[in-house]
């Protein structure tokens, strides 16, 4: 790892990251720069993100109170009081989606064990390899009986987008694999199972990791972190001072920055929070309204 200079005998400083940060680099290095280095202002908030965040917050609130307080009325109250009213076309659309979000939350909780005490709710877990310090916040960590008679941690991730999810989504998620490793390390308990709880379809997509599948995911994470760390070092060392020239249209400065942080334009740029700063993304995608993710397939657009 070369995120900074090191000397023989000195410990190497780890590249600090989250799964989201790694996936952002992997998807588009330019977006990574806008997000973590340049810190450009984002575009308007998306309504589908408001729905997702409101439901997540209500589920969190429901699980953190005593079991006797976990009523369906309380769930309704949490969605309604915590409703995030951003990105909707108008008040009518916001109210319509608040009702839908309430229904999906109540329908989901109706099937949950009121007495169950999760091992973690929105718990931050972390782990380190020789090159990275990885951390992330897990929606829910259950402690369940395992098939061999012991107990194990199960990683639960809530999803509210429209696209149905399958076991392949659970298997291929870098974030969920990282959470398995980090939860196991943080809570000192075995973990291997990941679950995507898709509230709109009331379905659960799941996968049980093996040491080999976790190793593959962590290897990929290491590789992405190595690239992102090198680019970050270049930014801090020589590129950030050229950002102003690049903003003023200096072709050399733009080329130097793009060489390290290339754009990866495609249709998904329509959903990028930094599209307005990115000519390549504008050329590659259509303009969307902040509420368009409600009608389209929001889960493919980074929506939880
Ligand atoms: S608009 Fe597309 S190419 Fe531009 S930063 Fe966003 S994801 Fe990358």
């Amino acid at each position: 790892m070369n995120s900074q200079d090191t000397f023989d005998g000195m410990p190497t400083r780890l590249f600090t990251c989250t799964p989201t940060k790694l996936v952002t680099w992997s998807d588009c290095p330019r977006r990574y720069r806008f997000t973590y280095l340049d810190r450009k202002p984002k575009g308007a908030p998306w309504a589908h993100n408001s729905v997702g965040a409101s439901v997540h917050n209500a589920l969190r609130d429901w699980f953190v109170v005593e079991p006797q307080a976990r009523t369906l009325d309380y769930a309704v109250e949490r969605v309604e009081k915590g409703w995030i009213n951003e990105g909707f076309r108008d008040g009518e659309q916001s109210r319509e989606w608040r009702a839908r979000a309430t229904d999906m939350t109540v329908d989901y909780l109706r099937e949950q064990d009121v007495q169950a005490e999760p091992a973690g709710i929105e718990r931050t877990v972390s782990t380190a390899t020789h090159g990275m310090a990885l951390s992330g916040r897990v929606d829910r960590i259950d402690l369940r009986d395992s098939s061999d008679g012991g107990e194990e941690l199960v990683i639960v991730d809530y999803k509210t987008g429209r696209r149905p999810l399958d076991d392949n989504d659970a298997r291929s998620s870098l974030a969920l694999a990282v959470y398995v490793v980090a939860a196991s390390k943080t809570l000192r308990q075995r973990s291997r199972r990941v679950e995507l709880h898709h509230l709109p379809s009331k379905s659960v997509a799941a996968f049980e990791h093996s040491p080999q599948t976790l190793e593959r995911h962590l290897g990929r994470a290491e590789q992405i972190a190595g690239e992102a760390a090198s680019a970050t070092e270049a930014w801090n060392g020589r590129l950030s001072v050229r950002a102003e020239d690049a903003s003023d249209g200096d072709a050399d400065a733009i080329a130097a920055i793009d060489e390290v942080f290339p754009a990866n334009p495609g249709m998904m740029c329509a959903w990028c929070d930094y599209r307005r700063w990115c000519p390549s993304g504008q050329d590659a995608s259509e303009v969307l309204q902040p509420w368009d993710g409600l009608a389209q397939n929001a889960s493919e657009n980074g929506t939880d």
Side-chain angles (χ1 to χ4, degrees):
M1 189 65 54
N2 50 1
S3 60
Q4 62 166 48
D5 292 335
T6 57
F7 301 94
D8 289 346
M10 287 183 67
T12 303
R13 192 189 299 170
L14 302 177
F15 181 65
T16 303
C17 53
T18 62
T20 302
K21 193 171 180 179
L22 296 179
V23 171
T24 301
W25 172 268
S26 180
D27 285 349
C28 178
R30 180 180 287 177
R31 180 149 60 95
Y32 177 95
R33 169 168 69 86
F34 287 159
T35 307
Y36 298 105
L37 302 174
D38 242 356
R39 298 188 186 279
K40 296 273 195 209
K42 289 184 175 183
W46 299 98
H48 60 267
N49 284 345
S50 295
V51 174
S54 299
V55 171
H56 276 70
N57 291 344
L59 293 174
R60 174 201 61 207
D61 293 350
W62 197 83
F63 275 106
V64 297
V65 296
E66 296 295 317
Q68 58 269 26
R70 294 177 194 162
T71 64
L72 297 181
D73 284 345
Y74 182 63
V76 171
E77 178 197 309
R78 293 325 303 155
V79 176
E80 292 187 345
K81 286 197 171 163
W83 184 243
I84 299 169
N85 186 27
E86 291 182 336
F88 297 95
R89 186 183 55 227
D90 51 30
E92 183 185 349
Q93 187 183 51
S94 176
R95 285 190 294 278
E96 178 198 333
W97 277 89
R98 187 177 64 188
R100 287 195 198 194
T102 303
D103 287 348
M104 81 167 84
T105 303
V106 166
D107 285 348
Y108 175 75
L109 290 175
R110 211 189 295 280
E111 306 296 321
Q112 298 299 299
D113 179 358
V114 172
Q115 299 299 326
E117 286 301 344
I121 298 292
E122 294 197 356
R123 174 76 191 253
T124 296
V125 293
S126 58
T127 189
T129 69
H130 68 274
M132 310 177 283
L134 259 173
S135 65
R137 199 171 58 178
V138 186
D139 287 343
R140 196 175 91 208
I141 305 172
D142 287 350
L143 183 61
R144 299 193 204 149
D145 295 337
S146 66
S147 49
D148 59 11
E151 289 184 317
E152 63 183 5
L153 303 170
V154 176
I155 304 299
V156 174
D157 196 32
Y158 304 129
K159 294 291 178 189
T160 59
R162 290 174 57 118
R163 183 174 74 88
L165 298 159
D166 60 28
D167 293 349
N168 193 45
D169 293 302
R171 179 190 63 77
S172 61
S173 167
L174 177 71
L176 293 181
V178 166
Y179 294 154
V180 164
V181 176
S184 183
K185 171 97 175 164
T186 304
L187 300 175
R188 295 187 171 79
Q189 185 90 29
R190 186 174 71 161
S191 180
R192 57 186 172 173
R193 183 175 175 84
V194 297
E195 293 183 350
L196 293 167
H197 290 202
H198 186 240
L199 274 66
S201 63
K202 302 179 195 168
S203 64
V204 174
F207 184 71
E208 292 217 350
H209 278 290
S210 65
Q212 292 74 27
T213 59
L214 291 174
E215 195 176 324
R216 277 201 291 278
H217 275 292
L218 279 191
R220 181 166 162 252
E222 288 265 11
Q223 183 228 323
I224 298 169
E227 294 172 9
S230 293
T232 301
E233 183 182 49
W235 177 263
N236 292 334
R238 62 187 165 84
L239 292 176
S240 60
V241 294
R242 307 203 64 188
E244 201 167 318
D245 293 339
S247 298
D248 290 339
D250 181 321
D252 286 346
I254 293 171
I257 292 173
D258 281 352
E259 187 181 353
V260 179
F261 298 94
N264 184 23
M267 285 171 54
M268 292 305 293
C269 293
W271 303 100
C272 176
D273 286 326
Y274 304 97
R275 184 179 180 277
R276 71 177 159 130
W277 302 105
C278 180
S280 345
Q282 291 164 20
D283 289 345
S285 63
E286 58 179 329
V287 179
L288 295 177
Q289 298 298 329
W291 52 88
D292 280 348
L294 298 172
Q296 299 184 33
N297 197 336
S299 66
E300 290 178 343
N301 310 319
T303 308
D304 274 337

